[in-house]
């Protein structure tokens, strides 16, 4: 006897700076690294500041607001974990702080997306540990 | 001022397997690369035992197994350029440096895979992000949001280009149609017998918008290889050599993450192209044809811009009206490219450029072709370019 097990969606690793990023998300806060010396925001997490070389940084809370920078509409899944979701639209959001991140909308069908559409972050738990930052129309 | 590497190394042999989809090559991934390698050596008039350098394609084979099978008894130069589809052209530069400096006499560059009958390209990244330079970044910040494969990453850039410059689906379609017209003149092209019209292009299903089916490269089985040596040694070999006049490769910044680039359109080629032209002492106006890595239609348009064949944002207009077709001002992908010949990881772009410069391209020959460009695009926008001239 065999049984079919759906392929799970991929999850981020719960480790290092990525673990810290997602730990803030699990607390309902979107935070990015900000250089303590020059004040530059950065994402994805990096060990040192590429603008000035400083090692000191802090996790600083984002306003959670941004605009749609670009997106694609995946008409078919290329990873089996998303087979039931297609069509779906990964978006790139440019935050007020200037950093950009890949995410998904929770309340906007793909054909309603527009570049520069204002959006704000919401938090969607996807496993016991991981909460993903997603977005809704602002 | 030309640098010391310009016009000092040559491509002296090319080899290819048949390109196919179902039922597949019937050989292993190593086996088809060996077949193409032996063909390239025979074309050059070299014995495998004369080889002393090998540059395997990243993640598709080791120098050790290639050398053991080919009987390369004194392998003294073995290295891989980790630039995905930009690797073959980037390897030309490294091979040229190796033979000119004396690190090796004859360097073999093989590439090939069973991209149809084996694991499909579309699955490769999703199931093994460690093959990517930014693998952990893709795992942690792209894949959980369904951004899992190359056409999806690059579609983000294509949409932004459409927004900023008004690039249209019909302009992307003009690229797909040009590649197909060329493939129909190429007896070895997988799409030789299939015409493509604009209506059929526009009606093809969306894969990852704005990419339709016909914006996406083929998944095929096949391998290709070339041999590089010095200009001096080339004089004693069987075929008329093709000289490497200019060559450069570079990475975008940051190379391991696409979305936070200040300028989304600045890729490795933006940095590499002017250096290659300076090395060759030429300008884009001097080029007779271009073999441009065409994983997807928009990447052709973007590389035409970043190579300097037209300005940033002008690529949409450039590709219309037959400019990039045989008989136009800049024939592009005269073999049909990844879109309509076969996906040979960029190496068949090199073999086609050599064929054109030898005057051996048959029905698809560019008249009086003297100087051609070949580019590579890989990973998250790594870029490579070589400017080749008939010897």
């Amino acid at each position: 006897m065999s049984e079919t097990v759906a392929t799970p969606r991929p999850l981020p690793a719960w480790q290092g700076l990525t673990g810290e990023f997602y730990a803030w998300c699990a607390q309902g806060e979107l935070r990015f690294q900000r250089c303590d010396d020059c004040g530059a925001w950065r994402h994805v997490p990096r060990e040192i500041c590429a603008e000035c070389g400083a090692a000191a940084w802090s996790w600083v809370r984002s306003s959670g607001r941004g605009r749609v920078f670009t997106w694609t509409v995946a008409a078919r899944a290329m990873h089996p974990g998303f087979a039931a979701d297609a069509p779906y639209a990964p978006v790139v959001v440019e935050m007020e702080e200037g950093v950009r991140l890949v995410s998904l909308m929770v309340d906007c069908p793909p054909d309603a997306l527009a570049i520069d559409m204002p959006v704000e972050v919401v938090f969607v738990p996807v496993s016991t540990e991981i909460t993903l930052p997603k977005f809704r129309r602002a | 001022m030309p640098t010391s590497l310009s016009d000092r190394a040559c491509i002296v042999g090319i080899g290819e397997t048949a390109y196919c989809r179902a039922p597949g090559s019937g050989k292993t991934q190593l086996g088809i690369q060996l077949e193409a390698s032996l063909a390239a050596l025979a074309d050059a008039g070299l014995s495998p035992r004369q080889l002393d350098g090998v540059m395997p394609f990243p993640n598709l084979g080791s120098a050790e197994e290639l050398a053991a099978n080919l009987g390369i008894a004194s392998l003294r130069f073995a290295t891989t350029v980790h630039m995905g589809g930009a690797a073959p052209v980037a390897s030309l530069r490294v091979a040229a440096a190796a033979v000119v400096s004396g690190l090796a006499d004859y360097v073999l560059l093989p590439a090939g895979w069973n991209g149809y009958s084996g694991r499909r390209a579309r699955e490769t990244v999703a199931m093994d992000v460690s093959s990517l330079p930014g693998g952990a970044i893709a795992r942690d910040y792209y894949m959980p949001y369904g951004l899992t494969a190359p056409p999806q990453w690059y579609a983000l850039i294509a949409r932004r280009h459409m927004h900023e410059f008004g690039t249209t689906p019909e302009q992307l379609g003009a690229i797909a149609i040009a590649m197909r017209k060329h493939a129909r003149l190429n007896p070895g092209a997988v799409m030789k017998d299939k015409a493509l019209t604009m209506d059929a292009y526009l009606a093809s299903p969306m894969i990852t918008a704005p990419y339709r089916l016909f914006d996406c490269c083929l998944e095929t089985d096949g391998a290709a290889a070339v041999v590089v040596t010095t200009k001096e040694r080339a004089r004693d070999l069987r075929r008329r050599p093709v000289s490497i006049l200019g060559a450069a490769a570079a990475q975008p910044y940051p190379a391991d993450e696409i979305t936070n680039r200040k300028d989304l359109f600045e890729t490795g080629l933006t940095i590499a192209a002017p250096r290659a032209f300076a090395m060759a002492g030429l300008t884009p106006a001097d080029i007779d044809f271009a073999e441009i890595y065409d994983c997807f239609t928009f990447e052709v348009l973007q590389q035409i811009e970043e190579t300097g064949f037209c300005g940033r944002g002008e690529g949409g207009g450039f590709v219309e009206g037959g400019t990039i077709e045989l008989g136009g001002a800049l024939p592009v992908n005269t073999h049909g490219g990844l879109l309509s010949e076969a996906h040979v990881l960029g190496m068949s772009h090199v073999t086609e450029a050599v064929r054109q410069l030898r005057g051996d391209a048959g029905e698809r020959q560019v008249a009086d072709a003297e100087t051609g460009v070949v580019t590579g695009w890989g990973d998250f926008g790594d870029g490579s370019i070589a400017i080749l001239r008939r010897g």
Side-chain angles (χ1 to χ4, degrees):
Chain A
M1 197 177 88
S2 67
E3 59 183 290
T4 303
V5 179
T7 306
R9 293 192 190 100
L11 291 175
W14 186 256
Q15 64 187 27
L17 294 173
T18 287
E20 295 180 30
F21 174 84
Y22 283 105
W24 284 113
C25 291
Q27 295 181 48
E29 294 187 14
L30 182 62
R31 291 184 178 235
F32 299 109
Q33 288 176 300
R34 190 176 191 193
C35 176
D36 286 351
D37 277 18
C38 77
W41 293 84
R42 63 188 195 246
H43 184 71
V44 301
R46 304 283 187 186
E47 299 283 336
I48 63 174
C49 178
E51 296 298 318
C52 73
W57 53 270
S58 305
W59 287 111
V60 180
R61 192 166 184 176
S62 162
S63 71
R65 290 188 296 271
R67 291 175 182 273
V68 171
F69 183 73
T70 187
W71 76 95
T72 184
V73 184
R76 57 177 81 177
M78 296 189 192
H79 183 294
F82 292 94
D85 299 326
Y88 66 93
V91 296
V92 176
V93 176
E94 184 168 275
M95 304 302 300
E96 286 182 340
E97 294 81 13
V99 300
R100 303 185 194 123
L101 74 167
V102 176
S103 188
L104 290 162
M105 299 293 294
V106 296
D107 68 344
C108 183
D111 60 5
L113 284 165
I115 284 176
D116 290 335
M117 171 191 283
V119 297
E120 62 186 11
V121 72
V122 296
F123 296 94
V124 180
V126 293
S127 75
T128 51
E129 283 177 329
I130 301 289
T131 293
L132 297 181
K134 296 189 180 181
F135 287 83
R136 67 183 174 207
R137 285 184 267 205
Chain B
M1 191 178 75
T3 70
S4 61
L5 269 187
S6 180
D7 200 24
R8 295 186 62 191
C10 297
I11 301 169
V12 294
I14 60 173
E16 291 167 277
T17 65
Y19 300 141
C20 63
R21 296 198 287 192
S25 70
K27 292 189 175 185
T28 65
Q29 180 170 279
L30 174 62
I32 55 173
Q33 293 188 70
L34 293 170
E35 181 186 337
S37 298
L38 289 171
L41 288 162
D43 182 56
L46 285 166
S47 124
R49 292 202 174 268
Q50 290 173 274
L51 279 178
D52 53 6
V54 175
M55 298 192 65
F57 190 92
N59 306 314
L60 293 182
S62 73
E64 290 82 354
E65 64 183 357
L66 286 160
N69 279 276
L70 289 168
I72 307 173
S74 56
L75 183 65
R76 57 195 185 99
F77 180 75
T79 192
T80 290
V81 178
H82 285 275
M83 283 190 156
V89 175
S91 296
L92 282 181
R93 171 180 72 155
V94 177
V99 297
V100 168
S101 65
L103 294 180
D105 293 340
Y106 302 98
V107 180
L108 172 72
L109 282 60
W113 59 355
N114 289 323
Y116 185 89
S117 66
R119 187 162 72 167
R120 297 291 184 90
R122 68 180 79 159
E123 298 164 348
T124 306
V125 172
M127 296 306 158
D128 181 17
V129 293
S130 66
S131 68
L132 287 173
I137 291 170
R139 179 195 64 204
D140 295 339
Y141 298 100
Y142 296 174
M143 295 187 59
Y145 309 94
L147 199 66
T148 63
Q152 299 168 341
W153 312 329
Y154 304 155
L156 298 172
I157 306 174
R159 180 176 306 278
R160 195 68 205 178
H161 198 277
M162 290 172 146
H163 172 75
E164 293 193 21
F165 302 113
T167 308
T168 65
E170 287 79 5
Q171 290 167 339
L172 299 187
I175 295 168
I177 289 166
M179 304 306 96
R180 185 61 59 88
K181 284 183 178 175
H182 297 164
R184 301 206 66 200
L185 301 173
N186 175 1
V190 166
M191 289 299 184
K192 183 190 182 330
D193 296 325
K194 296 189 179 176
L196 179 63
T197 64
M198 185 62 81
D199 285 346
Y201 165 82
L202 291 170
S204 69
M206 280 291 181
I207 301 296
T208 185
Y211 287 147
R212 294 169 164 80
L213 176 65
F214 292 124
D215 292 304
C216 300
C217 56
L218 300 170
E219 293 177 303
T220 54
D221 289 9
V226 303
V227 180
V228 172
T229 190
T230 60
K231 197 169 189 178
E232 291 71 27
R233 288 192 186 88
R235 292 194 186 104
D236 301 327
L237 297 178
R238 184 169 159 264
R239 298 299 300 262
R240 183 179 186 173
V242 165
S243 179
I244 300 169
L245 278 193
Q251 297 186 315
Y253 177 77
D256 61 358
E257 207 278 298
I258 292 174
T259 64
N260 275 283
R261 292 176 189 159
K262 287 188 173 66
D263 180 344
L264 209 56
F265 307 117
E266 196 169 301
T267 64
L269 192 59
T270 314
I271 301 165
R275 283 165 172 78
F277 280 108
M279 178 174 165
L282 296 174
T283 72
D286 298 316
I287 301 302
D288 297 320
F289 66 90
E291 314 297 355
I292 295 180
Y293 193 90
D294 52 330
C295 43
F296 307 96
T297 51
F298 171 73
E299 276 57 49
V300 175
L301 189 155
Q302 191 182 5
Q303 290 176 86
I304 284 171
E305 293 181 356
E306 300 309 306
T307 303
F309 291 121
C310 66
R312 174 81 60 84
E314 296 171 0
F318 186 90
V319 300
E320 291 181 309
T323 306
I324 63 170
E325 296 180 9
L326 280 164
L330 184 75
V332 170
N333 293 351
T334 48
H335 54 333
L338 307 182
L339 288 164
S340 281
E341 185 201 43
H343 193 321
V344 200
L345 304 147
M347 194 62 82
S348 63
H349 290 56
V350 181
T351 56
E352 174 68 6
V354 171
R355 194 176 285 111
Q356 288 285 346
L357 294 169
R358 287 174 172 177
D360 286 349
E363 278 191 86
R364 63 184 193 275
Q365 179 66 47
V366 175
D368 304 319
E370 281 188 23
T371 310
V373 154
V374 56
T375 75
W377 165 289
D379 292 342
F380 289 169
D382 294 350
S384 54
I385 176 172
I387 299 164
L388 306 177
R389 176 175 284 175
R390 72 182 181 199

